[in-house]
């Protein structure tokens, strides 16, 4: 990726960058020369990652942030000297049956997954305007916009909203030179995948993927780097599905061997 994209001198903010997909995104931008700021609720792993990457010669720092807190989110953006790429990757999705979803769970899911996207973008816009443009990227999901998964109705609704935000914000912000795009991951091998079941369950899911494997965090990071790069300068209002072809079959029977 370092040979394909050059982000030297650019400043990138990644929410939820301490582990999983977010960690791979942070590592990808850092390897390509960007100054990366990790904003994560988990202070210890975020700072440990930043320290490890700095030891390797990269320019990475970390701050603790609860994205459900609008004021704190806007305050963080207001304190930045510059921002070229905003990546909202943080997500909240405890597996919960529909009839057991209460106000607290629903409100936090919507606040972190969708609401924070509004505040982050609003806070980033003055920085983008100052330099004549910028890039907003979002980790969406195939769950909600394309497929369904039991126990994730709250998450699916938030991600369907994310995709609506991407299209509308892209239209409104295009005159400002701001591009807005997203990536829709399928089943990616991350610590958070443990919420969906054990290793046997993961293996069963992998057998249903046309490419024959679960995705890796680096698969999503590579898509993010492309969408943030100058090579994607004419792309906005889009989501890129990265799922190994999992959403292609009309039924699971189509992939049964």
């Amino acid at each position: 990726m370092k040979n394909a994209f050059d982000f030297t001198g650019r400043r990138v903010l990644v929410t939820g960058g301490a582990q999983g997909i977010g960690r791979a995104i942070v590592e990808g931008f850092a390897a390509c020369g960007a100054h990366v700021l990790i904003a994560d609720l988990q202070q210890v792993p975020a700072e440990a990652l930043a320290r490890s990457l700095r030891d390797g010669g990269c320019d990475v720092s970390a701050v603790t942030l609860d994205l459900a807190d609008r004021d704190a989110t806007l305050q963080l953006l207001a304190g930045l000297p510059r921002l070229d790429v905003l990546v909202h990757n943080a997500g909240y999705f405890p597996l919960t049956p529909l009839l057991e979803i209460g106000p607290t769970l629903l409100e936090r899911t919507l606040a972190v997954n969708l609401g924070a996207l509004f505040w982050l973008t609003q806070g980033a816009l003055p920085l983008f305007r100052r330099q004549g443009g910028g890039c907003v990227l979002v980790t969406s999901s195939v769950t909600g916009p394309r497929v369904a998964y039991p126990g994730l109705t709250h998450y699916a609704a938030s991600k369907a909203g994310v995709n609506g935000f991407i299209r509308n914000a892209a239209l409104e912000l295009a005159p400002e030179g701001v591009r807005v795009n997203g990536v829709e991951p399928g089943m990616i091998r991350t610590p958070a995948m443990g919420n969906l079941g054990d290793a046997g369950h993961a293996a069963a899911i992998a057998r249903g993927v046309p490419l024959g494997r679960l995705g890796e965090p680096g698969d999503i990071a590579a898509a993010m780097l492309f969408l943030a790069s100058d090579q994607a300068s004419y792309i906005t209002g889009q989501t890129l599905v990265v799922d190994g072809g999992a959403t292609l079959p009309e039924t699971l029977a189509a992939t049964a061997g």
Side-chain angles (χ1 to χ4, degrees):
M1 289 188 288
K2 185 175 182 180
N3 293 329
F5 305 116
D6 183 7
F7 290 95
T8 302
R10 299 190 193 182
R11 291 183 173 265
V12 180
L13 171 63
V14 181
T15 70
Q19 63 179 4
I21 291 172
R23 180 185 181 113
I25 293 170
V26 169
E27 291 173 339
F29 276 109
C32 293
H35 168 78
V36 184
L37 175 60
I38 305 168
D40 202 294
L41 185 61
Q42 302 182 74
Q43 179 180 2
V44 173
E47 290 181 347
L49 174 60
R51 185 166 53 252
S52 173
L53 290 172
R54 285 197 301 271
D55 289 345
C58 296
D59 189 357
V60 181
S61 54
V63 296
T64 305
L65 178 66
D66 182 352
L67 286 157
D69 186 334
R70 176 179 181 271
D71 291 341
T73 300
L74 291 174
Q75 184 177 6
L76 172 64
L77 270 297
L80 298 181
R82 177 185 174 94
L83 185 65
D84 298 280
V85 182
L86 165 65
V87 183
H88 182 36
N89 167 78
Y92 184 72
F93 58 101
L95 197 67
T96 308
L98 171 60
L99 296 182
E100 296 178 16
I101 295 172
T104 300
L105 173 58
L106 180 58
E107 287 167 11
R108 183 160 186 84
T109 302
L110 295 175
V112 173
N113 298 352
L114 180 57
L117 183 54
F118 282 80
W119 320 139
L120 287 163
T121 304
Q122 289 176 358
L125 190 55
L127 296 166
F128 291 156
R129 282 174 171 161
R130 193 180 305 160
Q131 63 208 37
C135 178
V136 177
L137 294 173
V138 195
T139 302
S140 184
S141 176
V142 296
T143 302
R146 299 177 192 275
V147 298
Y149 197 96
L152 290 180
T153 302
H154 51 317
Y155 176 78
S158 72
K159 292 303 185 179
V162 163
N163 279 22
F165 176 96
I166 289 169
R167 289 188 291 272
N168 238 75
L171 183 62
E172 288 195 35
L173 299 182
E176 307 272 7
V178 177
R179 298 187 299 111
V180 185
N181 293 295
V183 176
E184 294 181 34
M187 289 295 181
I188 308 299
R189 196 190 308 275
T190 69
M193 193 174 179
N195 293 337
L196 306 181
D198 58 17
H201 184 64
I205 291 173
R207 287 194 294 271
V209 177
L211 287 184
R213 67 173 178 88
L214 297 176
E216 299 296 337
D219 295 322
I220 308 305
M224 288 287 189
L225 287 173
F226 165 67
L227 288 172
S229 73
D230 293 339
Q231 288 90 329
S233 64
Y234 201 54
I235 300 174
T236 195
Q238 306 301 312
T239 58
L240 178 59
V241 177
V242 183
D243 71 345
T247 55
L248 293 175
E250 185 172 350
T251 70
L252 291 177
T255 58

